[in-house]
Amino acid sequence: MAKEKASTEAIERAAAALCAGRLIAFPTETVYGLGADATNARAVAEVFAAKGRPRFNPLIVHVPDLAAALRLAEFSASARQLAAAFWPGALTLVLPRRPGGRIAELTTAGLDTIAVRVPAHAVAVALLRAAGRPIAAPSANRSGHVSATTAAHVEADLGNRVHSVLDGGPTPLGLESTVVDVSGPALRVLRLGGIARAALADALGRPVPVAEAEASRPASPGMLLRHYAPATPLRLAAREVKSGEALLAFGAQVPPHAGPVFNLSTSGDLLEAAANLFAGLRRLDGAGAPGIAVMPIPEEGLGEAINDRLRRAARPA
Ligand code: TXA
Ligand code: MG
């Protein structure tokens, strides 16, 4: 891992590495981000592995300008007002995802919404432009640690998990972006952050309420998160396939079956399985089978997050 001053050359090299699937930590005006190519599911799976997150929370997709954001998501009138008022800046908008885009399913954790932000930091914007593709980036800290506001913090926390850390000095705000859900008619603040609620109200001409779970438990914004749920019932830890069932397989030893199958990783690689998880679930959900049998996944490394999602997906709505 190399921490290096964010010179033009260093940014070019980092962009090339990012496009090749490596992780790059970079400064934004809020906190440092742990960046991956948002269109590369395997690179995004590496982000979760590096952070040691026990679950797949959807990630914020960073783009260099509004035009790039418009290609990824549907903007309501309110969303456009907020983008006009605060981008580039510390505001993340959760929007309906445009169908048919190249963003990996794992980036949005299978949701039909996407969180998008245009950062206001010269290094972040230069990296985005040099990469020429959207960058998925959570805060560059291990799960449960505070967000990193200096390159040294990133180095201490993520050590050799990143290809390089672009050092742009301490981040100006030191506080994460404000996350606003503008995907439906009722706007809600999902996470308080760098843009004050009063500023949002000024821009919109009306107040935006804080989502309930956030107001009562500020430390766990993930609690109120919707999660991807297939319409087809899942049967977990299946060791055989019942007649008619589809099969979400894992590993080389697959039970005999006649119906549709999707193997998360024939070699039993949990990183590959994570990268394929949401795409595989969607594929089998659309196959028309009355149920999906899911083979056991080891509860280790990324297997923990995979099993967390599968348990949620298996729960009746
Ligand atoms: O300032 C920031 O926002 C930093 C910099 C790097 O941009 N990023 C950051 O990312 O704090 P992260 O992953 O630590 O927090 C992202 C937040 C989480 O609370 C996540 O649940 C929420 O955004 N989020 C992302 N996509 C969402 C979606 N589709 N629906 C609802 N919430 C979403
Ligand atoms: Mg974070």
Side-chain angles (χ1 to χ4, degrees):
M1 200 270 321
K3 169 158 84 74
E4 52 183 341
K5 199 171 159 296
S7 63
T8 306
E9 299 71 41
I11 291 170
E12 295 280 340
R13 279 197 303 276
L18 192 113
C19 292
R22 315 297 293 272
L23 304 189
I24 301 294
F26 63 98
T28 80
E29 78 280 28
T30 58
V31 297
Y32 273 76
L34 175 60
D37 174 354
T39 67
N40 180 339
R42 195 174 169 100
V44 174
E46 297 267 12
V47 167
F48 289 102
K51 281 190 68 99
R53 263 195 191 175
R55 63 171 59 156
F56 298 124
N57 286 337
L59 302 180
I60 296 172
V61 174
H62 298 71
V63 290
D65 49 39
L66 178 62
L70 289 169
R71 287 194 286 274
L72 301 179
E74 315 274 2
F75 281 66
S76 65
S78 304
R80 277 182 185 271
Q81 271 179 303
L82 290 175
F86 300 107
W87 281 357
L91 180 71
T92 295
L93 297 176
V94 174
L95 303 151
R97 191 154 61 104
R98 260 185 197 281
R102 286 160 54 239
I103 300 297
E105 290 279 348
L106 186 59
T107 302
T108 57
L111 296 175
D112 295 326
T113 55
I114 182 169
V116 186
R117 178 162 107 77
V118 178
H121 192 291
V123 174
V125 174
L127 180 68
L128 284 162
R129 292 207 187 283
R133 59 188 76 183
I135 299 178
S139 50
N141 53 277
R142 293 275 302 172
S143 179
H145 293 193
V146 294
S147 298
T149 56
T150 67
H153 286 173
V154 179
E155 200 172 27
D157 229 29
L158 292 167
N160 49 18
R161 302 305 302 252
V162 292
H163 179 261
S164 64
V165 182
L166 289 173
D167 189 349
T171 59
L173 275 170
L175 188 65
E176 295 92 341
S177 62
T178 298
V179 180
V180 181
D181 183 356
V182 283
S183 65
L187 275 54
R188 322 176 293 162
V189 175
L190 297 182
R191 180 179 72 183
L192 297 162
I195 303 287
R197 228 154 55 83
L200 298 175
D202 279 349
L204 290 166
R206 65 196 148 98
V208 185
V210 178
E212 248 170 62
E214 167 78 355
S216 56
R217 340 162 110 223
S220 32
M223 296 304 291
L224 55 92
L225 217 60
R226 288 192 309 120
H227 61 83
Y228 171 72
T232 314
L234 299 190
R235 192 166 60 82
L236 301 185
R239 296 189 183 273
E240 81 303 324
V241 192
K242 293 180 182 161
S243 166
E245 269 184 337
L247 175 66
L248 189 66
F250 177 79
Q253 309 294 320
V254 179
H257 61 281
V261 60
F262 185 100
N263 200 321
L264 292 172
S265 170
T266 50
S267 63
D269 174 4
L270 288 167
L271 196 79
E272 184 182 17
N276 286 330
L277 177 65
F278 292 105
L281 281 171
R282 272 188 194 267
R283 177 93 57 86
L284 294 183
D285 197 19
I292 301 171
V294 181
M295 286 178 66
I297 314 279
E299 191 77 29
E300 65 192 42
L302 280 182
E304 225 189 324
I306 294 172
N307 284 320
D308 170 73
R309 280 299 148 172
L310 286 171
R311 280 191 290 268
R312 289 161 192 265
R315 220 177 279 158

